[in-house]
Amino acid sequence: MSEVEETIKRIQSHKGVLGIIVVNSEGIPIRTSLDNSTTVQYAGLIHQLTMKARSTVRDIDPQNDLTFLRLRSKKHEIMVAPDKEYLLIVIQNPSE
Amino acid sequence: MAPKAKSVKPPGSTIGAKPSKMKGRPKIRDDDDMTEIGDLGDDSYVHGKTLVKPDDQLDLSEVELKEEFTRILTANNPHAPQNIVRFNFKERTYKQTSSVEQIAIHFALDGNMLHKDSDEARRQRAKAGMGESKSEAALSEAGEEEGGEGEDGEKEEVVEAPPPKKESLRNQFNFSERASQTFNNPYRERGTATEPPPRANFSSTANQWEIYDAYYEDLQKQEKAKDKTKQIPTYRKEDDKTKKKLVAMETASDDISRVTRAAKIVERMVNQNTFDDIAQDFSYFEDASDEFRDQEGTLLPLWKFSYDKAKRLAVTSICWNPKYFDMFVVGHGSYDFTKQGRGMLLFYTLKNPSHPEYIYSTESGVMCLDIHPIYQYLVCVGFYDGSVGVFNTQEKRPGPVYKSTAKSGKHTDPVWQVKWQKDDLDNNLNLYSVSSDGRVVSWTLVKDELIYADVIKLTVDDLPTEGPDGTQLQLLGCGTSFDFHKKIDYLFLVGTEEGKIHKCSKAYSSQFLDTIDAHHMAVDAVRWNPFHPDIFISCSADWTVKIWDHNYGNQAMFTFDLNSAVGDVAWAPFSSTVFAAVTADGKVHVFDLNINKYEALCEQSVVQKKKTKLTHIEFNPRHMIICVGDERGYVTSLKLSPNLRKVPKKKKGEENVGIDHEIEIAKLDKILSLVREPDNKEKK
């Protein structure tokens, strides 16, 4: 268990990373390094988007599955790694 | 008002002649009955028969006076309206009431007469009866004053008789109502509400993939059921455990350890972003200037790997994973005899340059390692303390799965090289190690332990020397490296500290097939050419790299002087003529015999601080990169520029075939033949 904790800490302290959020399958954030309002917002919206993306991928080929999702915007990049029950969201500023 | 007599008067009289009288009369109100007395202004009535002509009487002629006017007396009420119109709700119109009441009531007086047989009358009589009896008694008294005493009794009787007849009278006029109300109990309200049954909202979509998932799960369950029926009942316990785990999974939804895989992926993504330019270089950068420099190439530095706990330790060995081409293993230890401490075994991947995937800490320094070509999770390690260990990355143990101990025949000096070999006849894993104690040992992994077998002892001389008390001692040389032939299974080379290279066979344990005096100092590395069966390369601390043909053991085919102690040399996997060497002055030398037989194509310093020795070098089996380790614990990856990795051009249509071995061999042969002829001539 501590391995994951270490990994998450490392990601958090990595260069350019603004925050990391762990969301469960219902869209409720379990663990976050950002403030509450931002977290809730991210969790809700990104959860929906990921579900949609996954649904899209799987509709095309049910044997396929979503590995990860990258959303690059002007200001930063949102990276989402979906799991069976969880969702890991990392916001990073790649140009730093 | 007393009824007045109505006198019918002849025409011209006041009653009939309304029109004549209208003007003269004061305004008559509507409710006035014209047939009322109204004859107030009639003087004739008051004064009897005297005719007095009023002043404003119409003067009519005699004819007119005699005119007969017909007056009809009707029973109609002249005051009653003639046309009452009422709104009929049924027909929603105004309708004229057909008949209007013509009754005119002049006088009304409510009487108080009762029928003598009615209830009220009877009641009153009953009440009055008492009074009558009293009055009768009085009358009788009055009538019979004389018989007073005798009639007193009658009186009394009479008086006594009515009281029992007296009933409770209901006084009609003096009605008093008396009501009583029962006491209303104060209301109290009491309510209970049951708890609503727990509800859960369920919503789902039926997609193609959801259906697929459901079928897949069903299939899995069926397979498990089949397995269950085949296997021993003890497996039920495991199933229960898994069931419990499922339950636990549902409840312990906050268990963060389940995010492991996602966390790893995200970490790699984050790293990819941070080292984006390096990742791009790795894939796409080609040094364009190589087109202009024919005989030169460059090395582009890519990622740099370091782990803070291993920073003080030198890189003692690197090995690329033969299956997953982005993974490699680095062993850390110390070459310094005086500073011996712990060691580390780190597994890195190119996808995550900031942190190793697996970390193993060891008590003594790791000197060498090798990954099993088939079971990539097995790594064999040679330690400074002379023991050999096997790590299994699939198991989550912090230490080696197998380790040789003093009892089980471990080496007495540091193990300099280990190599996996093919499984023996019993399908047990097999590995070889060479050490400074002069032994080449073969270890077999049988069940839980390592069983050793001495393969060969590196004797210095053929003749045993005499020891102090006359006993015969066998001096052993120190082995520093070895390499097994790719094709010929039993053939292997051993390099020693004395600078000799022994050609040995697994079959012969006491004798060497051949000995070559290769170098003046210890042989640091010896490697067979991956393509050519006869060629091998060796490097030494005497600043030289030599290429040999094992058939001609007297002299090296090629000798390269690198101006510094050479730590390691490696052949490129994609070409038979390319090899690279690392030196103690921090430089990497890359040679391509095809292009330049005498000089390096590239001599590049890759260390940040000068005076850092480079200890090891390895080519990646798939990508065109090399990994270089130094004594500070850093591993640097470098990309070969196009000039350094020239492969013979393939024909169109054969491009996907892969490296053609024969072409490679032929290429090398051609070069060798140029060198060999003068050699032969010299021999001769």
Side-chain angles (χ1 to χ4, degrees), chain A residues 70 83 91 93:
Chain A
R70 271 178 189 257
D83 204 35
I91 304 131
N93 197 342

Side-chain angles (χ1 to χ4, degrees), chain A:
Chain A
M1 172 154 162
S2 62
E3 258 192 55
V4 190
E5 294 274 349
E6 267 185 50
T7 312
I8 292 178
K9 272 184 205 164
R10 258 185 283 131
I11 296 171
Q12 247 176 278
S13 54
H14 200 92
K15 193 174 82 166
V17 172
L18 298 166
I20 180 167
I21 305 169
V22 181
V23 181
N24 76 348
S25 54
E26 290 161 27
I28 300 167
I30 294 170
R31 200 200 161 100
T32 173
S33 70
L34 300 166
D35 57 281
N36 197 27
S37 54
T38 321
T39 303
V40 168
Q41 215 179 3
Y42 266 105
L45 294 167
I46 302 236
H47 180 257
Q48 286 175 35
L49 181 68
T50 313
M51 287 299 126
K52 191 76 188 175
R54 188 186 238 158
S55 183
T56 311
V57 167
R58 297 208 74 192
D59 270 345
I60 295 169
D61 178 13
Q63 293 185 330
N64 206 354
D65 197 5
L66 187 67
T67 329
F68 61 81
L69 193 65
R70 271 178 189 257
L71 212 62
R72 197 160 212 173
S73 69
K74 277 191 218 169
K75 294 189 183 174
H76 46 242
E77 179 163 353
I78 302 167
M79 288 169 278
V80 187
D83 204 35
K84 256 209 147 171
E85 296 92 15
Y86 293 94
L87 204 65
L88 205 71
I89 304 168
V90 173
I91 304 131
Q92 187 192 22
N93 197 342
S95 57
E96 257 184 50

Side-chain angles (χ1 to χ4, degrees), chain B residues 250-493:
Chain B
E250 286 162 20
T251 53
S253 58
D254 285 355
D255 195 6
I256 197 125
S257 64
R258 317 265 304 305
V259 203
T260 314
R261 211 173 145 266
K264 269 196 178 164
I265 293 173
V266 170
E267 197 185 357
R268 288 185 183 189
M269 275 201 268
V270 167
N271 273 306
Q272 191 182 16
N273 270 340
T274 317
F275 299 108
D276 184 44
D277 44 352
I278 297 177
Q280 300 284 336
D281 282 345
F282 164 75
S283 301
Y284 306 116
F285 181 78
E286 305 293 350
D287 199 344
S289 61
D290 268 12
E291 289 175 38
F292 310 107
R293 301 182 293 183
D294 214 9
Q295 305 230 331
E296 279 177 33
T298 52
L299 295 166
L300 180 73
L302 297 172
W303 301 284
K304 199 162 188 179
F305 301 88
S306 71
Y307 186 54
D308 49 352
K309 285 184 191 168
K311 267 190 184 163
R312 298 278 182 85
L313 301 169
V315 172
T316 52
S317 52
I318 308 173
C319 188
W320 286 97
N321 191 313
K323 190 172 164 194
Y324 301 110
F325 300 111
D326 60 295
M327 290 199 76
F328 61 97
V329 190
V330 179
H332 288 269
S334 176
Y335 284 118
D336 199 345
F337 177 69
T338 47
K339 292 180 193 169
Q340 279 304 313
R342 55 188 182 82
M344 294 207 84
L345 194 67
L346 303 172
F347 289 71
Y348 280 102
T349 168
L350 294 177
K351 295 175 188 170
N352 187 353
S354 60
H355 196 264
E357 298 289 304
Y358 300 103
I359 303 164
Y360 292 97
S361 198
T362 59
E363 291 153 354
S364 93
V366 171
M367 289 280 106
C368 53
L369 59 91
D370 192 29
I371 301 178
H372 199 285
I374 301 169
Y375 309 109
Q376 288 86 25
Y377 50 87
L378 289 175
V379 178
C380 69
V381 173
F383 293 100
Y384 197 89
D385 65 0
S387 50
V388 170
V390 177
F391 285 83
N392 189 337
T393 53
Q394 279 185 346
E395 291 179 28
K396 303 220 168 180
R397 287 168 72 165
V401 178
Y402 301 96
K403 196 169 177 186
S404 67
T405 59
K407 284 184 193 173
S408 60
K410 73 166 194 173
H411 292 280
T412 50
D413 266 340
V415 178
W416 291 105
Q417 191 120 22
V418 285
K419 270 244 154 59
W420 284 106
Q421 288 303 297
K422 288 183 193 165
D423 289 356
D424 63 4
L425 296 166
D426 297 330
N427 285 333
N428 291 321
L429 300 165
N430 201 12
L431 72 101
Y432 279 72
S433 65
V434 68
S435 153
S436 293
D437 65 354
R439 282 158 56 213
V440 176
V441 178
S442 143
W443 304 86
T444 314
L445 272 72
V446 177
K447 289 182 190 176
D448 274 337
E449 45 183 30
L450 284 170
I451 296 173
Y452 86 101
D454 261 0
V455 175
I456 198 160
K457 284 194 181 160
L458 304 168
T459 51
V460 176
D461 301 315
D462 285 326
L463 301 165
T465 53
E466 273 193 28
D469 18 333
T471 52
Q472 297 193 331
L473 290 169
Q474 196 76 299
L475 278 177
L476 292 173
C478 306
T480 51
S481 63
F482 69 172
D483 194 20
F484 288 83
H485 198 276
K486 305 279 184 286
K487 301 275 169 63
I488 307 168
D489 211 16
Y490 57 83
L491 188 65
F492 65 96
L493 296 165

Side-chain angles (χ1 to χ4, degrees), chain B residues 22 37 88 99 106 118-120 140 170 177 254 270 276 320 332 356 370 416 430 546 562 627 660 676:
Chain B
M22 284 302 259
I37 327 160
N88 188 335
S99 57
H106 297 280
S118 73
D119 289 332
E120 185 60 40
S140 65
R170 210 175 101 194
E177 194 171 299
D254 285 355
V270 167
D276 184 44
W320 286 97
H332 288 269
D370 192 29
W416 291 105
N430 201 12
K546 295 188 183 180
L562 301 179
C627 243
D660 196 345
R676 227 177 272 154

